[in-house]
Amino acid sequence: MTMKNQTLTIAVLPGDGIGREVMPACLELVEAAVAIVGAPALAFETHAAGAQYYAESGDALPRSALAACRAADAILFGAMGWPDIRYPDGTEIIPQLDLRMELGLFAGVRPIRWFAGLPRVLTDPRAENIDFVLIREQTEGLFYARGRGEIRNDEEAYDTMQITRSGTERVVEFAFQLAAQRKRRGRPGNVTCVDKANVFQSMAFFRKVFDEVAARHAEMTKGHAYVDALALNMVKKPWVFDVLVTENMFGDILSDLAAGLIGGMGMAPSADIGEKHGLFQPAHGTAPDIAGKGFANPSAMFLSAAMMLDWLAVRHGEQTLNDAARLIEQAVEHTLSTKLAVPMEYGGSANCAEMTRSVIGSLEAVRREVA
């Protein structure tokens, strides 16, 4: 099977703040990597959405943008939200949550990997071996309460957590499939259920369904961890983890903690995956304090694009897309490990444009090394 004469359409939503800076840098890198390996062409279609667009138009996620996301082969997302721009009820403008629900993006995938050349946050030398993936269920859990909360007599507030069998089964199955892929590349092949089953009935149910799915994967190993103990061990010995799967809110909190272990959000890519759609975005926010100054580190955006290419490679059976993904990852690693460019957030002087030039310039060097 080949796609050499086909073009894949990518819906591009730069969003707000530094999302509008790291996205053009990312598109330039992806085009260069795809051309080098001879992968199928990508057609980027950019659409306005987000808080700043809401301030201009009164619409945070236009129907045209949502329709484009539905029709696209993949979605590349920058960052959205702005502290001073909110809905009339005071809540933040977060179209990414709307996209998760509209497109059924049930699996939030956050790979956590330390790259040579980054500051080592943990003093233990084994921290250089950090390489795990956190998967959060994204369509229910405590986030199910968004827009459904209740305040009674200005005295009590209630938000309801939802855990369903179908929602839990599909995200746990996704976790085991991912662990199997990692095992084929030399990783342990272990999936850990992260919950609070000792306190909440909903979490005991989450664990029960996890165990039922795990029984269908006898070749893999499973584990359980309470979320509080897991947070402790994530700081003490994160190098022991492989694949973690958890509820929506727990995953939201733990993913930021995990990013801190490898230097911060500037190195944290992510993917939101559903049965038909995939959205790829850096884990960082819009960073209003540096937006417009060109200081943003585009590495997380670059690595998110690599995840997109991997996902497309599997869906379309096109190895060259996987080759382009590896090229991007290795170019980022080469740039950091050789200190060809050091992002400002890690004590260096490289701004967004300089990081982009350095990573693109590393593509050919990395390709020669691999060859």
Side-chain angles (χ1 to χ4, degrees):
M1 179 178 178
T2 181
M3 297 183 60
K4 289 291 188 281
N5 297 320
Q6 297 185 40
T7 299
L8 296 173
T9 300
I10 311 300
V12 177
L13 281 67
D16 303 310
I18 64 171
R20 299 182 178 187
E21 299 170 40
V22 298
M23 184 62 78
C26 177
L27 301 185
E28 185 180 356
L29 172 64
V30 171
E31 287 182 332
V34 165
I36 287 175
V37 301
L42 303 179
F44 299 115
E45 297 182 352
T46 301
H47 301 273
Q52 291 172 312
Y53 185 71
Y54 172 82
E56 300 168 3
S57 67
D59 195 352
L61 182 62
R63 291 184 180 179
S64 58
L66 178 58
C69 289
R70 288 189 189 280
D73 292 292
I75 306 158
L76 204 54
F77 190 100
M80 290 189 188
W82 203 256
D84 300 330
I85 304 174
R86 295 174 179 263
Y87 290 119
D89 65 1
T91 58
E92 287 192 39
I93 294 167
I94 316 175
Q96 52 267 47
L97 297 188
D98 299 319
L99 283 167
R100 288 172 189 171
M101 301 307 293
E102 288 283 348
L103 302 180
L105 306 177
F106 65 87
V109 184
R110 180 72 65 83
I112 304 297
R113 175 189 165 198
W114 186 81
F115 281 82
L118 292 176
R120 208 170 66 200
V121 176
L122 303 179
T123 58
D124 193 309
R126 289 174 291 182
E128 295 184 0
N129 298 319
I130 294 174
D131 184 353
F132 65 90
V133 181
L134 176 67
I135 300 171
R136 67 186 269 209
E137 199 293 321
Q138 291 193 144
T139 60
E140 45 187 52
L142 192 54
F143 275 66
Y144 167 81
R146 182 179 180 236
R148 298 183 175 93
E150 179 185 3
I151 298 178
R152 299 180 184 175
N153 302 319
D154 203 31
E155 296 291 339
E156 301 172 346
Y158 295 88
D159 285 313
T160 301
M161 177 184 288
Q162 180 193 60
I163 300 292
T164 69
R165 170 172 290 279
S166 59
T168 304
E169 281 183 339
R170 67 182 181 180
V171 77
V172 173
E173 179 64 31
F174 182 96
F176 274 96
Q177 294 290 342
L178 179 61
Q181 294 172 21
R182 286 169 58 84
K183 188 175 183 179
R184 289 192 288 271
R185 300 199 301 265
R187 297 300 297 165
N190 176 262
V191 182
T192 301
C193 175
V194 183
D195 57 47
K196 196 62 177 171
N198 56 332
V199 175
F200 299 108
Q201 188 171 356
S202 59
M203 290 283 88
F205 181 67
F206 186 91
R207 180 177 290 204
K208 174 180 180 290
V209 176
F210 171 88
D211 286 341
E212 292 172 0
V213 175
R216 302 200 292 262
H217 296 273
E219 74 285 3
M220 312 296 288
T221 57
K222 71 170 185 178
H224 306 94
Y226 296 138
V227 64
D228 46 343
L230 189 282
L232 172 66
N233 286 322
M234 190 176 281
V235 174
K236 289 186 64 178
K237 48 181 180 179
W239 48 86
V240 305
F241 300 130
D242 188 14
V243 175
L244 311 173
V245 62
T246 191
E247 177 271 339
N248 208 342
M249 177 62 83
F250 290 164
D252 187 33
I253 296 168
L254 290 174
S255 60
D256 281 18
L257 171 61
L261 302 174
I262 56 170
M265 293 297 193
M267 293 303 302
S270 74
D272 297 345
I273 305 298
E275 294 176 358
K276 297 180 180 179
H277 304 281
L279 181 152
F280 304 85
Q281 64 172 315
H284 60 65
T286 56
D289 58 327
I290 63 169
K293 299 178 181 179
F295 295 166
N297 175 10
S299 298
M301 186 79 250
F302 294 167
L303 296 172
S304 298
M307 293 179 72
M308 178 188 74
L309 293 170
D310 273 332
W311 183 76
L312 288 170
V314 172
R315 285 182 68 83
H316 296 282
E318 182 56 61
Q319 178 60 38
T320 56
L321 291 168
N322 181 267
D323 295 339
R326 297 289 74 72
L327 201 60
I328 289 173
E329 287 183 346
Q330 291 167 8
V332 170
E333 185 169 12
H334 179 269
T335 298
L336 295 170
S337 63
T338 61
K339 299 193 182 303
L340 188 62
V342 179
M344 290 180 173
E345 66 178 306
Y346 303 125
S349 61
N351 60 23
C352 185
E354 290 163 344
M355 277 296 297
T356 303
R357 286 196 297 270
S358 295
V359 174
I360 291 176
S362 296
L363 291 173
E364 283 292 355
V366 169
R367 188 188 190 196
R368 288 194 296 270
E369 290 174 7
V370 173

